[in-house]
Amino acid sequence: MDVSIIIVNYNTFEVTCNCLASVFENTSGVSFEVIVVDNASSEINPEKFISRFPLIRLIKSKENLGFSGGNNLGIKHSRGSVLLLLNSDTILINNAVKLAFEQLNSDKKIGCLTCSVLNLDKTPQGVLGRFPSIRQNLISICRIEKFVKRYHQDTYKLGDKFDYKTPQEGDWIWGTFFMFSRAVLNQFPNKKLHDDFFMYGEDLQWCMYIKQNLGLKVVFTPEPKIFHLHGASDTRKYIEKYKQWAFPNFVKTLRVLKSDTYAFFYVLTFVLQRLLVRGNSEVELSYYTQQLRYFFK
């Protein structure tokens, strides 16, 4: 078995079915299995997935394990030499699984890989980024960026500054389309992905471990293409999700993989950057400033 495609579902039956249909319609030239992990959905009986897609393997969790926990459950039942974590709110445009699989196998130094992730209007989403860092915050505060040529900014900052037309190595990728080998997984503690977080920030944590602890590359490749509905699997507003889950989890990751001191000064410079450069509202600044209190407990 070449690739195990793992899709976590939680109350998004039709969205997940659209994703599954695109996988079976567009994937060829590579042996694969599809594992759907239902995270204790209340919307429908998950057995309905089997009636529509009899070739899938359905894993029913008795509780909502979150994104990382659900994926680890799917991985436990997988057989592929390569694993693909695929968001339920994605649609494959081309033979993305095979193209990504070939790229991953072309370089043994690639730890994990993502593809062209597009909005419905075909504009790219900023799926490749740099690690949160004090250095980045200070560069922004001091306005050093304006002295750097545009193309250097693109490859230095990545995120939504990069054009996503050429292959590029970065620091971390979104978990939307997250491909890696079982050999890499076997180098993680207990041979499973970190599942400290219920959702958001786990992809950053995985990539930090892959890049800093395993010394492997985190890569974007443009040829495989998918649509991402970007929020169909979680209808809360982005800023609410960022504040509740993502930002605190980023800080926790820095504390574990860097140090408490580094994480503290990251948050401090982050607040200054938001105050001096971004001009965030008092409510937003108050929230970010409150994150500093956790370092004094």
Side-chain angles (χ1 to χ4, degrees), residues 50-250:
I50 297 292
S51 63
R52 282 209 197 180
F53 303 95
L55 295 180
I56 69 168
R57 299 177 65 198
L58 176 65
I59 309 298
K60 294 183 287 186
S61 175
K62 294 181 180 179
E63 61 179 312
N64 187 348
L65 301 172
F67 182 72
S68 54
N71 276 299
N72 270 328
L73 180 58
I75 289 170
K76 184 178 179 180
H77 293 271
S78 67
R79 298 170 294 182
S81 61
V82 166
L83 301 158
L84 170 61
L85 311 186
L86 184 65
N87 271 23
S88 63
D89 57 353
T90 58
I91 302 291
L92 272 61
I93 299 172
N94 60 8
N95 197 355
V97 177
K98 181 186 178 184
L99 292 169
F101 175 76
E102 290 175 341
Q103 182 61 34
L104 183 73
N105 283 338
S106 71
D107 184 353
K108 297 302 181 184
K109 292 299 290 181
I110 296 177
C112 60
L113 175 146
T114 194
C115 67
S116 293
V117 179
L118 307 176
N119 296 304
L120 291 179
D121 63 2
K122 297 188 177 180
T123 55
Q125 296 180 9
V127 296
L128 180 71
R130 298 296 181 193
F131 291 140
S133 71
I134 296 171
R135 182 171 179 262
Q136 277 189 326
N137 290 342
L138 290 175
I139 286 174
S140 181
I141 291 169
C142 298
R143 308 295 180 94
I144 295 174
E145 294 161 331
K146 64 183 179 180
F147 299 108
V148 180
K149 289 183 178 180
R150 175 70 185 177
Y151 68 89
H152 284 152
Q153 286 192 31
D154 289 350
T155 55
Y156 173 72
K157 296 187 74 173
L158 298 177
D160 59 5
K161 302 297 182 183
F162 185 58
D163 64 12
Y164 293 94
K165 294 179 180 179
T166 57
Q168 178 67 37
E169 183 180 349
D171 289 339
W172 72 288
I173 55 177
W174 291 4
T176 309
F177 183 106
F178 194 97
M179 181 177 279
F180 57 105
S181 71
R182 191 173 297 276
V184 168
L185 177 70
N186 288 340
Q187 296 180 68
F188 274 70
N190 301 316
K191 297 184 179 181
K192 68 174 187 175
L193 297 171
H194 298 95
D195 54 7
D196 308 299
F197 307 143
F198 184 77
M199 60 177 10
Y200 299 108
E202 60 284 300
D203 40 17
L204 172 70
Q205 186 183 38
W206 300 337
C207 290
M208 287 189 81
Y209 191 83
I210 286 170
K211 187 160 186 174
Q212 297 183 350
N213 290 60
L214 305 183
L216 299 173
K217 296 190 289 188
V218 174
V219 169
F220 161 80
T221 186
E223 288 81 10
K225 299 180 189 299
I226 65 170
F227 286 126
H228 180 211
L229 304 184
H230 202 47
S233 58
D234 189 342
T235 57
R236 290 171 297 174
K237 293 181 179 178
Y238 174 75
I239 191 62
E240 293 174 355
K241 294 183 285 188
Y242 186 80
K243 288 165 65 176
Q244 181 180 0
W245 302 104
F247 187 77
N249 289 348
F250 287 172

